[in-house]
Amino acid sequence: MASLSIRIDVGPDNRIGPGKVQLLEMIAEHGSISAAGRALGMSYRRAWMLIEAMNSGFGQPVVEAQIGGKAGGGARLSALGADLVAHYRAIERAADRAAAPFLDRIVAPNRKTNDGTPTATL
């Protein structure tokens, strides 16, 4: 089955898509930028650069550092970061529902209708 991949152009140099959202989700899950990067097969440097680009693009942090202590430091999503993930996933679900009938026609354009006539081709 075909699927959508959503990228939102927030501003000229500020884009959010599935890769950045997945990175944010992994940071929330692992509590660490380096662990999130490892989980995605991404270097710490690459993960950090993506986070810095989002922080800069939104004008405020999407990821916040946690001060070390007995368990050490880490990272967590800011309120903006958590909202960003939630809203992106909601947009993705809505777009999937809206596009499903059209994607089905793209994948199987030569299907027949219930009366046996071919569907319109693209």
Side-chain angles (χ1 to χ4, degrees):
M1 182 177 151
S3 63
L4 291 178
S5 179
I6 304 293
R7 184 185 82 182
I8 301 168
D9 295 325
V10 181
D13 293 319
N14 188 16
R15 293 171 188 81
I16 188 80
K20 288 179 181 174
V21 169
Q22 190 176 24
L23 175 60
L24 293 175
E25 289 170 332
M26 290 295 103
I27 291 168
E29 181 178 326
H30 295 283
S32 159
I33 295 169
S34 59
R38 279 193 303 274
L40 296 171
M42 178 185 301
S43 71
Y44 175 82
R45 184 175 191 287
R46 176 72 177 143
W48 180 253
M49 289 175 63
L50 290 171
I51 292 163
E52 281 298 303
M54 287 186 279
N55 288 346
S56 174
F58 286 102
Q60 57 183 305
V62 295
V63 174
E64 300 171 334
Q66 291 182 294
I67 303 302
K70 196 173 194 180
R76 67 173 178 222
L77 299 187
S78 67
L80 173 63
D83 283 348
L84 183 60
V85 170
H87 295 313
Y88 178 88
R89 292 301 185 199
I91 290 166
E92 192 175 52
R93 285 189 301 275
D96 282 342
R97 282 191 304 272
F102 303 103
L103 292 173
D104 288 346
R105 300 239 354 232
I106 290 170
V107 172
N110 294 319
R111 241 181 345 191
K112 297 192 184 286
T113 62
N114 290 339
D115 67 3
T117 59
T119 59
T121 58
L122 300 176

